[in-house]
Amino acid sequence: MSELVPGGNVPLPDGAVTVRVPGPFDVSALITDDGGRVRGDADFVFYNQPSVPGARLSGDSLTVDPARLRAGATRVTVVVSPADPGGALGGLPSPALQVTGPGGRTLARFTPPRPRQETVLLLAELYRRGGGWKLRALGQGYADGLAGLARDFGVEVTEEPAGSRAAVPLPADPDGFAGLVNAARAAAGSPPVTLDARLCAAAREHAGAMAAAGRLDTTGGDGLSVHQRVTATGYAYVTIGEHLVSGPRSTAEFVAYCLRTDRAGRTLRDPAFTQAGVAHVPSARTGDVYWTALWARPFAPAELARFTAEVVDLTNRERAGARLRPLSVDPALTAAAQAHSADMVARAFYSHTSPEGGQPWDRAAAAGARRRSIGENIACGQRSPAEVVRGWMDSPGHRANILKGDFTHIGVGFAGGGEAGTYWTQLFGA
């Protein structure tokens, strides 16, 4: 597996390869010849046109089969832009590209320098060289937006209103789920939730997987967790909750069931959630009905900043209680911590040691930190800053890092997705 730097390249095997960019990004691609121009609109793969011959976009992943590309195609340029229309990439975590080949083998990874004011990033390109294909890391920023980039490649673009993006249609709610839920939330003083089509699609996939397996589980028989199904739709979040239930025959019965128990009721009424999705699928074998309800707050740069700042504040409160000086935020430690959380989601591991053997101090140094001593706490599955800091304080080893008197600086990272749903990193330095 190759860790690429801008300009670096790696040969690709025969067959289809998949490039994935997890996080709050839209992935798109432009198919060109050696002259760098498309032949028509069909050479632009994006959220409104997710599939063309030889290339298919699904959520945060683009699969390319060079042998099936249209005649004359010699280059596929992979592009990322903020999922939030009109946003700047500089307010988001640096996009991390992962390339896998046939059988799911990881071929390469590339994390470019963090963009500043650019709204689009040319992340990588697949190109034909002789009889084979290679991938080159780019990391080139582009300030004129996705429409401007497409025009420069020769795509005819019809302007949409400023800040707009092709809207995901609101799902139908024939059984009155939102009304029943929002009545209970209003009674608890919580704001209403709206149904989101991507959350409903992920709920439907997971309910179907549970019905096929005949059991309730956060991971289906296909090996995918409910959280991985959410991120596969392109939905990025800062917090998420779920109800996995079997038995109720109607939406009203399902909502009543969720409200009967304290823990499930707290999730349904939680004011942190602003969007929801629900689906139910009967088992073909037993007739039992399997339900999945998803509750989430969508990702935004301000939400990520709020989450990480709250972790720092709660950590410093614990240090104050032990009469220790507060930790200052270090941008380099923050970048390294954020990259590690995103990496654990992207490559489906949970460890202080990366799959290549990298350690916390290696990541800190690579991010530019100049600290003589490094410590790290990680956690997964916690739904809020308060929950994750409480969990660390309840663990002797993690507590020792938080209360180590020698540490003077901190960086915090957070990413949603993966098997556990949330991944947190604290990086300490002295």
Side-chain angles (χ1 to χ4, degrees):
M1 198 278 291
S2 299
E3 289 277 359
L4 298 178
V5 297
N9 63 75
V10 62
L12 297 175
D14 292 337
V17 297
T18 297
V19 296
R20 182 181 178 225
V21 187
F25 307 104
D26 277 336
V27 181
S28 52
L30 293 141
I31 300 167
T32 63
D33 54 23
D34 286 334
R37 303 282 289 180
V38 302
R39 287 189 178 178
D41 293 355
D43 282 348
F44 186 23
V45 183
F46 69 122
Y47 46 79
N48 258 357
Q49 183 171 265
S51 182
V52 302
R56 177 174 52 83
L57 180 64
S58 177
D60 59 11
S61 299
L62 174 76
T63 299
V64 178
D65 188 346
R68 297 181 179 274
L69 292 171
R70 55 96 170 155
T74 60
R75 194 175 304 269
V76 179
T77 303
V78 181
V79 180
V80 294
S81 55
D84 180 21
L89 288 168
L92 303 176
S94 189
L97 176 92
Q98 180 180 357
V99 186
T100 56
R105 182 171 66 92
T106 301
L107 304 175
R109 293 182 68 252
F110 172 53
T111 302
R114 187 172 182 174
R116 296 181 182 272
Q117 298 302 315
E118 296 90 343
T119 56
V120 171
L121 190 67
L122 307 185
L123 193 55
E125 61 181 6
L126 289 74
Y127 63 99
R128 190 167 65 195
R129 179 58 54 87
W133 284 74
K134 304 182 81 172
L135 179 133
R136 178 185 292 119
L138 297 176
Q140 177 185 343
Y142 196 94
D144 200 21
L146 192 58
L149 173 70
R151 282 194 199 93
D152 287 353
F153 275 73
V155 178
E156 292 187 8
V157 176
T158 301
E159 286 288 357
E160 296 178 350
S164 70
R165 181 192 192 275
V168 177
L170 287 175
D173 186 19
D175 297 326
F177 174 80
L180 292 168
V181 163
N182 285 331
R185 291 175 65 85
S190 298
V193 292
T194 58
L195 289 178
D196 181 87
R198 292 162 298 180
L199 292 176
C200 287
R204 190 176 306 111
E205 288 288 329
H206 197 71
M210 292 192 299
R215 70 176 188 274
L216 297 174
D217 202 330
T218 56
T219 300
D222 55 3
L224 292 178
S225 76
V226 64
H227 311 107
Q228 289 168 319
R229 296 187 207 281
V230 171
T231 55
T233 69
Y235 189 98
Y237 57 82
V238 290
T239 189
I240 194 165
E242 67 279 335
H243 287 128
L244 308 178
V245 175
S246 66
R249 311 298 295 187
S250 70
T251 298
E253 287 183 18
F254 171 72
V255 173
Y257 177 89
C258 293
L259 290 170
R260 275 204 300 270
T261 62
D262 183 58
R263 181 175 179 181
R266 282 201 309 269
T267 297
L268 188 148
R269 300 183 184 97
D270 193 330
F273 300 131
T274 59
Q275 295 181 328
V278 67
H280 59 279
V281 176
S283 166
R285 182 170 55 85
T286 66
D288 292 337
V289 180
Y290 287 81
W291 294 78
T292 298
L294 296 168
W295 314 86
R297 189 179 192 94
F299 177 94
E303 292 287 347
L304 176 62
R306 180 177 66 83
F307 259 43
T308 55
E310 191 172 342
V311 170
V312 173
D313 179 62
L314 291 168
T315 298
N316 280 333
R317 290 186 194 182
E318 296 293 347
R319 290 177 64 86
R323 300 190 177 185
L324 296 170
R325 59 184 172 179
L327 302 172
S328 299
V329 174
D330 182 314
L333 293 179
T334 299
Q338 182 62 42
H340 189 56
S341 288
D343 191 25
M344 288 191 289
V345 170
R347 292 201 280 172
F349 74 97
Y350 176 65
S351 174
H352 294 287
T353 304
S354 75
E356 297 77 37
Q359 299 294 331
W361 43 90
D362 300 321
R363 294 189 286 273
R370 297 292 179 264
R371 303 292 165 192
R372 58 182 172 78
S373 176
I374 294 292
E376 184 179 77
N377 286 343
I378 59 174
C380 66
Q382 295 80 5
R383 305 302 169 87
S384 69
E387 185 180 345
V388 74
V389 173
R390 184 167 61 250
W392 279 326
M393 289 300 294
D394 288 341
S395 165
H398 298 97
R399 179 187 176 93
N401 272 338
I402 289 175
L403 300 182
K404 185 172 181 178
D406 290 346
F407 286 144
T408 57
H409 289 77
I410 188 174
V412 176
F414 166 85
E419 183 176 356
T422 57
Y423 290 78
W424 307 77
T425 302
Q426 278 183 319
L427 204 55
F428 303 92

